[in-house]
Amino acid sequence: MAEAAIAIQNYMDLNDEDCQARALKAKESLGSKLVILGHHYQREEVIRFADYSGDSLKLSRQAAASDAKYIIFCGVHFMAEVADILSRPEQVVVLPDLAAGCSMADMADLAKVERAWKELGRIIDTQKVIPVTYINSAANLKAFCGRHGGIVCTSSNAQAVLSWAFERGEKVLFFPDQHLGRNTAYKMGISLEEMAVWNFLRPRGGLTPEKICDARIILWQGYCSVHQMFQPEHIDRFLERYPDAKIISHPENSFEVCQKSHYVGSTEYIIKTITESPPNTRWLVGTELNLVNRLHERFKHEGKSIHFMSPTVCMCSTMFRTDPQHLAWSLENLAQDNVVNQIKVPEKDAELARLTLDRMLEIS
Ligand code: 13P
Ligand code: SF4
């Protein structure tokens, strides 16, 4: 029989080393009943516990393929929701700290998206609009896409997903990240003039009816607070100093940063590209600090110099919420069959969200 759940307060004064030792012991005792998934932005003391690390797409696939009774997701809330939606009903998904959200995902909510859809419907035929949500969004927005013939994308399949959408509709409503939408659509040959930015704080998105009618893609005005720190001037200054350096950026960066980058892609793509590059190459990387620091450490023995794009230290503070204390707490509770911080998407949203995620996985 399960003992009473242990409270998180018992862990907050413990040091990282003690928590890691306890987490390891609990993990070992759970054996194949447990799988730990870790996003590349997790800190070193946490990612070392991951059975699988990856970008959003790879981790979604791992969650769908796992047989484990318990899935601990070291990442952020929307990722744990996706794991719950794609896993079997009897599997349990745990997010070690419930405060690990995503500020970009929070920039779109169902009420605002439904209002936008209604307002668009007064000007254009929304039957011909395909809603596309970035995976960085709440499950009920994925369900919204499911209800309206739409789909989900990640940073690594956005182009394939947008092609799918344009085969089925005349226009796309893309949320919540304007940058991923703009960078991807531009790469597909859609001009900046054919894009409209929907300001979700203003009536009719702050757009004229003409602009809405002319747009091929309507971009929600959301952004990532981490990636907005990277500026084109950082690239210019770096290249002045190191003209042979290569620039690689995540597509959540601004259009200007992506245009100045030699390579643009997901976290998994960034790791793969740097891994496969010749020794002694120099890189400026426009993505989250924990990943860049890890790449720096991993490749310094090959003479690769890996630099962070921003002169100021900026990391994803919500990814950083998962610490050895919360990990030890959730693991020791699971080892006693106490489930803490379970992420469970209501079935009414899960069913439609699953439809859009399955569509995405099929074409990725
Ligand atoms: P990836 O899917 O590329 O890992 O990106 C997730 C994310 O939140 C980047 O900010
Ligand atoms: Fe969200 Fe940005 Fe953090 Fe990614 S880096 S989880 S988009 S806040």
Side-chain angles (χ1 to χ4, degrees):
M1 205 174 74
E3 293 168 35
I6 320 161
I8 181 67
Q9 285 74 15
N10 295 318
Y11 294 77
M12 297 320 283
D13 291 334
L14 299 179
N15 65 38
D16 284 3
E17 290 70 31
D18 288 347
C19 287
Q20 287 182 76
R22 287 171 64 162
L24 187 63
K25 206 164 155 220
K27 183 176 188 237
E28 281 169 1
S29 76
L30 283 155
S32 61
K33 271 164 79 179
L34 169 77
V35 68
I36 301 184
L37 304 180
H39 185 265
H40 292 310
Y41 291 165
Q42 290 293 301
R43 55 170 95 180
E44 199 47 46
E45 311 85 74
V46 169
I47 199 80
R48 64 169 62 122
F49 284 92
D51 298 298
Y52 300 98
S53 59
D55 64 1
S56 308
L57 180 65
K58 190 169 159 191
L59 294 175
S60 310
R61 289 194 197 286
Q62 287 299 347
S66 167
D67 275 334
K69 178 175 176 190
Y70 300 125
I71 300 173
I72 292 193
F73 212 116
C74 298
V76 289
H77 193 268
F78 72 83
M79 297 178 178
E81 279 189 336
V82 169
D84 177 54
I85 294 165
L86 293 177
S87 56
R88 293 191 311 278
E90 65 276 16
Q91 289 175 290
V92 169
V93 177
V94 167
L95 183 68
D97 187 343
L98 291 180
C102 164
S103 56
M104 174 211 279
D106 292 343
M107 289 179 194
D109 62 37
L110 187 60
K112 287 196 186 80
V113 170
E114 277 183 336
R115 193 185 74 198
W117 195 251
K118 216 181 269 170
E119 290 184 320
L120 285 172
R122 291 191 197 115
I123 296 158
I124 51 178
D125 179 3
T126 46
Q127 298 279 3
K128 296 179 181 156
V129 181
I130 306 293
V132 178
T133 186
Y134 188 21
I135 197 164
N136 297 38
S137 57
N140 60 5
L141 289 181
K142 296 180 177 86
F144 173 91
C145 289
R147 245 189 325 276
H148 295 283
I151 189 163
V152 179
C153 75
T154 76
S155 60
S156 49
N157 59 23
Q159 187 162 343
V161 167
L162 276 188
S163 301
W164 180 96
F166 281 118
E167 277 161 23
R168 283 157 182 84
E170 287 173 8
K171 294 182 196 294
V172 163
L173 172 64
F174 189 94
F175 45 88
D177 186 22
Q178 59 174 307
H179 299 298
L180 178 65
R182 185 181 294 109
N183 289 323
T184 311
Y186 188 81
K187 215 165 110 193
M188 294 168 69
I190 297 174
S191 69
L192 296 180
E193 292 70 40
E194 294 171 289
M195 303 183 198
V197 178
W198 185 272
N199 180 343
F200 51 85
L201 298 175
R202 297 188 51 197
R204 218 200 293 124
L207 296 169
T208 61
E210 295 70 39
K211 185 71 194 170
I212 291 171
C213 289
D214 292 347
R216 291 201 61 209
I217 182 163
I218 299 162
L219 306 166
W220 198 260
Q221 204 171 31
Y223 60 87
C224 165
S225 48
V226 178
H227 288 88
Q228 73 160 357
M229 301 294 285
F230 307 120
Q231 299 297 323
E233 303 80 66
H234 300 151
I235 300 179
D236 294 340
R237 282 203 291 271
F238 194 77
L239 286 176
E240 268 167 33
R241 204 158 156 210
Y242 304 112
D244 294 333
K246 295 288 176 214
I247 317 297
I248 189 161
S249 302
H250 195 278
E252 285 174 18
N253 276 289
S254 69
F255 181 70
E256 293 72 20
V257 165
C258 289
Q259 286 297 300
K260 281 183 184 275
S261 300
H262 299 103
Y263 305 90
V264 176
S266 77
T267 53
E268 193 71 26
Y269 170 86
I270 291 172
I271 295 169
K272 186 172 184 286
T273 308
I274 295 181
T275 306
E276 289 170 0
S277 67
N280 304 316
T281 38
R282 190 180 293 278
W283 292 88
L284 183 67
V285 187
T287 200
E288 210 271 343
L289 185 62
N290 280 293
L291 173 56
V292 181
N293 282 344
R294 192 170 310 124
L295 289 168
H296 168 79
E297 285 303 315
R298 186 169 148 199
F299 290 112
K300 62 184 180 198
H301 74 279
E302 291 183 21
K304 292 180 192 172
S305 299
I306 294 163
H307 305 248
F308 185 56
M309 194 178 282
S310 169
T312 53
V313 172
C314 56
M315 58 175 94
C316 177
S317 57
T318 50
M319 285 279 183
F320 199 67
R321 304 254 358 173
T322 306
D323 54 17
Q325 288 70 20
H326 284 83
L327 191 59
W329 171 65
S330 39
L331 276 164
E332 288 193 339
N333 271 300
L334 285 185
Q336 297 184 8
D337 269 331
N338 284 318
V339 174
V340 289
N341 286 3
Q342 182 178 4
I343 301 300
K344 190 87 205 133
V345 176
E347 194 45 40
K348 70 171 179 33
D349 289 334
E351 198 182 322
L352 282 165
R354 194 175 301 118
L355 181 81
T356 58
L357 285 162
D358 285 344
R359 266 181 199 150
M360 173 191 86
L361 291 173
E362 218 168 277
I363 63 172
S364 297

